[in-house]
Amino acid sequence: MNERKIRVIKKAHQLFIEKGFQATSIQDILDFSNISKGTFYNYFSSKNELLIAIFSSIYKKIEEERSSLLIGKDPADLEIFIDQVKLHMEINRKNNLFKLLEEVTFIKDEELNQAIKKGQWLTIRWTYKRFIELYGKEKQPYLLDCAIMFLGILQQNMRYYSLAYESNRDYDFVVRYSVKRMKSIVDEVYEKKEQLFKPELVERLIGDKNNSKYSQELLIQTISDLKKIIQVEENHNKYTELLEFIQEELTEAKHPRQHLLSISLDTIQANKQIAETEEFQKLQNLISGT
């Protein structure tokens, strides 16, 4: 995604927060971003598509920053999970995500509605997969239920805590309290062998056909690790751009362009020091599985 398009997304996001999505016209966006109507429609087919791009950029930031917290850490460490949940909530707050979602939930646009639903299911899927790491694979058939219950508990606890203590945004206390409730819930559901949602449901509802072949979380973490390694290289900016292109192509494109991915990989692989790293080998395996 080029810098100018990113700038338009950021400017529009700012306008939607200040004026509201419905009250902001495309002309407002053109004026605020200092672009022509032709440039706008070259990037987006509509204001709704621009909003989807904003949601996508927020979800991408959440994924990247959550993954970075796991680098070199034990996935079964409950403290790491708590920090990830708090970070997720803080990014949502800074980007006024819930305010935007509340305003547009009832807009009759199938693509927009699907994007909103997918964002919700992505959060559920991430929580479900983290619960497997936290509570064990033997409990996996029941952990999608538990992930959904946890998110509901957390949301309601935050809602009423904010109402009761308006000046106090103690995310840490509320998150810890909510997380502590989950162990007994997980144990009880596992003991009773009761299941409301089958785990494969989340993949079907997200509609992510490639998910069985590669994990976006692992991809983002691998690319993040590679970026740190190449910082010592003379042409590290070039390699960073190629890695960012690969990540965007695999996480955002409906049909990743394999020929461009191959060219990008070959360019990076020409540097033997990078090509011989474990992280680069992992990236190759992830891409070959798509």
Side-chain angles (χ1 to χ4, degrees), residues 143-156:
L143 292 179
L144 178 57
D145 291 354
C146 295
I148 292 171
M149 283 189 278
F150 168 71
L151 293 171
I153 289 168
L154 179 61
Q155 181 182 28
Q156 292 304 311

Side-chain angles (χ1 to χ4, degrees), residues 54-83:
I54 291 171
F55 289 148
S56 178
S57 68
I58 296 172
Y59 299 145
K60 182 178 178 181
K61 182 176 179 62
I62 290 170
E63 287 178 353
E64 290 176 343
E65 297 201 14
R66 274 190 322 215
S67 295
S68 69
L69 289 179
L70 262 179
I71 296 174
K73 303 292 178 62
D74 180 5
D77 186 343
L78 204 61
E79 287 298 317
I80 302 300
F81 176 70
I82 289 171
D83 287 343

Side-chain angles (χ1 to χ4, degrees), residues 245 249 255-266 287:
F245 165 77
E249 192 72 10
H255 304 289
R257 294 166 290 183
Q258 294 295 336
H259 65 291
L260 293 181
L261 291 171
S262 296
I263 292 171
S264 300
L265 274 181
D266 289 344
I287 293 176

Side-chain angles (χ1 to χ4, degrees), residues 35-46:
I35 60 170
S36 67
K37 185 175 289 188
T39 299
F40 177 89
Y41 284 109
N42 184 48
Y43 295 150
F44 312 102
S45 63
S46 65

Side-chain angles (χ1 to χ4, degrees), residues 81-108:
F81 176 70
I82 289 171
D83 287 343
Q84 288 177 307
V85 173
K86 285 160 52 182
L87 180 137
H88 186 155
M89 295 171 65
E90 184 61 22
I91 292 175
N92 284 349
R93 186 191 66 79
K94 286 182 178 179
N95 288 279
N96 287 77
L97 181 61
F98 292 128
K99 180 181 178 182
L100 283 174
L101 287 172
E102 285 177 0
E103 185 181 359
V104 304
T105 296
F106 300 105
I107 293 178
K108 293 182 179 180

